[in-house]
Amino acid sequence: MKRNRDDILMQKETTNSIRRYEHHLELTAEWLMRSIEKGRGGSCAFFSPLLGWSKPYPETTGYLIPTLISISNALDDHKYSAAALRIGQWLLDIQSQNGSWHGGLYPSASSEGSVFNTGQILKGMMALFHLTGDHVFLSAADRGANWLASGVDGYGLWPASDYRASETPSYYTHVAWPMLEVWKSTQSVSQRTAAERFLDMALERKLSNGAIAQWGFDDQGSAFTHNIAYTIRGFQESSRLIGDYSKYGRPMEEILEFFVKKSELSNGRVSGEFDESLAGVKKYVCLTGNAQLAVCILLMEQQKSDLRLVNAASKMIDFIGSVQAKSRFVKSIRGGVAGSYPLWGRYMFMRYPNWSAKFYCDSLILIKNRLELER
Amino acid sequence: MKLVITAGFDGSIPALALCELLRRSGHCIETVLVVTPYSPTRLKKMLRQRGMQGIKKVASKLLNLKKSGAELSLQTQFLIHKGISYSSLKAWCKVNEVKYILVGNLNSSKSINSVKQSNPDAILYAGGGILRSTFIEVANHKIVNSHSGPLPEIRGMNAVEWSILLGYEPSITIHMIDRGIDTGKIISRKRIPIGKGETIETLRDKAVISGVLEVTRLFDGLTDLDDLNKETSRDGLVGRQCYIMAPAVRELLSNKLEGFLND
């Protein structure tokens, strides 16, 4: 009986949407908890129907922490913040002497620090510092941010410790953001200066159509909406942290309006990749990017206060909900969000990444809060 | 004036009302351009934008499915009130010896050729999808539309709903069609009369009826479209385009509608 009721509640469009979003949040949060149970200290990078649970992934375990804390508040359930604390402790244990964290899954063959991965873990450290007031987290974040700041050259690039040393990708705005997050608490001038040097350089890559050059994994070709949204969000959050929306937030409006239209015209089923001329690759949806873009649109809406933007975000979120794994028969995928729809799409082919679930939760919490404001 | 009227389907009540009321006021309806609802492109687009719900809704509209015991819609009541008893545009065209052209798309060559041949003084748009520049050029930019929302603020779809949700007075705008979505020059704006017990459906019907009446009024005695006063400047104000409401936003509207009607 319960199964029927749950499924009907989630699927029926006329059901109270706030409750429907809460239901999806509960379902996804439970999947994230399973990724932690199986994560040997952290959270598994993904579940694959063919290979099972992966090894833990420090990078995404790091940025999962603020999401778990938000879930705790949204669902009024302490177990999620307790889990956040546990995985935070694990991240402290594996931090390198120089303040960085290595890339890839844990354990890693290489002990070399990774710029992007370190940046994402800083978000977790800062969230735990704000949650607990424990300076051990701030201290770890400070060391990590100092390591990142020391790597930025005069052009605003990270020439070392990265997979594309000569051309730092534009989505590294997602590294500048946590550096500024740390700066807010440490007031370290070098952390802010380095972050802004990168952001200013990346903003110069803005094209006349609003796209940001080199925002994908590759120098050439199309970018996943996942990376596109990383780029945009990095700018948006950096603007918030420095208290100047016009500097990095407003320049993102043009490209976000493009995705608003895309969402509306496709009923939330946005193409998974776009090239720099904004031509979409239509064969699949990058569900991760869909959720992230919905978050970016909702953040812009906080500035604009326009329910038309909520509408576009809602369609993207609803689409993810409509294809989320809900089967009770395979526990490891129930509540998971695949990297792509269909599952064999190019982004995270045949896998359920923990960051898809994380960003979906973020989007659900944001839209739920926004709708509650209208009550 | 020589007029062409477009319609999104054969049973379109506003198109039928416009045809008959403008004929009565002495205008010559040259051609009625009706878009067939069965075009694969149209169905595909609808499926993409609205999902199966959209297809079901349109199918029931096309098949004229009514729940037993359901009251007549305001649009149907309006036709009865005006003494218009034709069952379809096709029937109206047959009786009045007007060219009835069924097209897959208003931008198709068949449609454009028929406009060229008719050489109308104006085209009244009463549905049929977005017009491309070729159609607009062939019509010499003389296409008039009634939009169910206040322009330039509320443009696009579900205009009655968005007007209420965003706090604008529900109104219709008669405007020229240009290449943008509801961005052409404005001819007139009119409030939608609101009574007790309104629902979104009745307000939408009232918007359609107000549009028909306002176009008929503006065209009464008109011999040249250029004689209509058109707003030449919009002060650069073009509102963000509205689209079909997502379920969550539609719920907000339902909550707000009650308060709005009580006010």
Side-chain angles (χ1 to χ4, degrees), chain B:
Chain B
M1 286 171 77
K2 274 202 306 185
L3 302 174
V4 166
I5 294 177
T6 74
F9 61 105
D10 190 46
S12 165
I13 292 178
L16 186 57
L18 279 173
C19 286
E20 178 59 14
L21 296 178
L22 290 166
R23 184 195 66 78
R24 287 180 193 172
S25 64
H27 291 289
C28 170
I29 315 297
E30 280 281 312
T31 302
V32 177
L33 272 176
V34 180
V35 178
T36 171
Y38 306 112
S39 129
T41 320
R42 199 173 178 195
L43 291 172
K44 194 176 159 191
K45 190 178 173 190
M46 189 165 297
L47 190 63
R48 197 173 67 234
Q49 283 190 0
R50 307 188 195 189
M52 278 312 290
Q53 289 297 327
I55 299 282
K56 279 183 198 165
K57 198 173 170 182
V58 172
S60 77
K61 202 172 169 182
L62 287 171
L63 298 170
N64 208 15
L65 295 178
K66 290 194 185 86
K67 288 174 192 164
S68 59
E71 286 180 15
L72 292 176
S73 73
L74 289 182
Q75 290 191 46
T76 308
Q77 289 179 42
F78 172 71
L79 282 187
I80 294 166
H81 174 69
K82 291 287 178 186
I84 303 171
S85 56
Y86 301 96
S87 59
S88 65
L89 285 162
K90 194 173 184 179
W92 184 87
C93 287
K94 194 175 177 185
V95 170
N96 293 285
E97 296 178 342
V98 169
K99 268 184 274 179
Y100 175 88
I101 313 246
L102 199 61
V103 294
N105 185 327
L106 283 180
N107 305 298
S108 66
S109 52
K110 184 181 178 185
S111 163
I112 285 165
N113 286 337
S114 76
V115 172
K116 270 185 194 165
Q117 280 168 15
S118 301
N119 190 27
D121 298 313
I123 294 181
L124 295 174
Y125 178 87
I130 292 171
L131 299 177
R132 303 286 169 213
S133 54
T134 319
F135 188 98
I136 297 169
E137 296 290 332
V138 166
N140 291 321
H141 299 263
K142 291 186 173 180
I143 311 170
V144 177
N145 177 43
S146 170
H147 172 68
S148 297
L151 290 177
E153 294 88 357
I154 303 292
R155 58 191 195 91
M157 304 174 88
N158 287 179
V160 173
E161 290 92 323
W162 281 110
S163 303
I164 295 167
L165 189 63
L166 299 180
Y168 291 94
E169 196 171 47
S171 28
I172 57 127
T173 310
I174 310 297
H175 69 102
M176 302 300 294
I177 286 185
D178 65 7
R179 284 194 63 189
I181 304 291
D182 302 321
T183 52
K185 288 177 180 174
I186 291 169
I187 299 166
S188 76
R189 261 169 86 149
K190 202 169 189 307
R191 275 186 59 196
I192 300 171
I194 296 168
K196 281 185 181 173
E198 298 279 14
T199 62
I200 282 298
E201 285 69 31
T202 61
L203 284 173
R204 286 178 80 146
D205 277 356
K206 280 189 169 183
V208 169
I209 295 166
S210 295
V212 169
L213 290 174
E214 183 64 359
V215 168
T216 313
R217 185 188 72 77
L218 288 165
F219 274 67
D220 190 26
L222 190 73
T223 54
D224 189 337
L225 197 63
D226 292 338
D227 292 343
L228 286 177
N229 286 326
K230 299 178 198 87
E231 182 191 295
T232 52
S233 166
R234 289 169 161 247
D235 301 316
L237 179 63
V238 178
R240 181 177 280 116
Q241 190 175 340
C242 302
Y243 295 90
I244 294 166
M245 279 186 171
V249 176
R250 192 164 282 280
E251 270 176 40
L252 295 181
L253 172 70
S254 301
N255 298 338
K256 192 160 181 175
L257 187 63
E258 204 175 322
F260 171 80
L261 293 174
N262 288 336
D263 289 345

Side-chain angles (χ1 to χ4, degrees), chain A residues 174-281:
Chain A
H174 226 255
V175 177
W177 155 26
M179 288 171 75
L180 290 170
E181 195 92 50
V182 178
W183 159 78
K184 271 293 233 194
S185 292
T186 62
Q187 292 297 305
S188 158
V189 175
S190 62
Q191 288 165 0
R192 176 170 174 161
T193 307
E196 287 193 304
R197 200 180 302 149
F198 176 77
L199 289 163
D200 292 341
M201 183 281 301
L203 195 56
E204 283 178 17
R205 293 176 175 173
K206 189 181 170 197
L207 307 172
S208 58
N209 60 6
I212 309 290
Q214 298 174 51
W215 58 7
F217 281 128
D218 309 315
D219 283 356
Q220 307 290 325
S222 55
F224 295 119
T225 49
H226 166 61
N227 298 77
I228 292 172
Y230 263 166
T231 310
I232 298 169
R233 178 96 185 264
F235 278 123
Q236 287 179 307
E237 298 285 1
S238 296
S239 254
R240 174 181 61 81
L241 288 160
I242 63 169
D244 182 358
Y245 179 73
S246 66
K247 192 167 184 190
Y248 303 121
R250 189 160 297 132
M252 294 303 108
E253 289 180 0
E254 188 181 358
I255 189 65
L256 282 172
E257 292 287 358
F258 168 82
F259 284 112
V260 164
K261 192 171 179 181
K262 284 283 165 196
S263 169
E264 293 285 10
L265 293 177
S266 64
N267 206 16
R269 195 178 175 147
V270 176
S271 298
E273 294 173 41
F274 288 85
D275 63 23
E276 288 177 4
S277 72
L278 297 180
V281 175

Side-chain angles (χ1 to χ4, degrees), chain A residues 159-170:
Chain A
S161 308
D162 203 27
Y163 75 104
R164 264 168 61 190
S166 59
E167 297 284 352
T168 307
S170 300

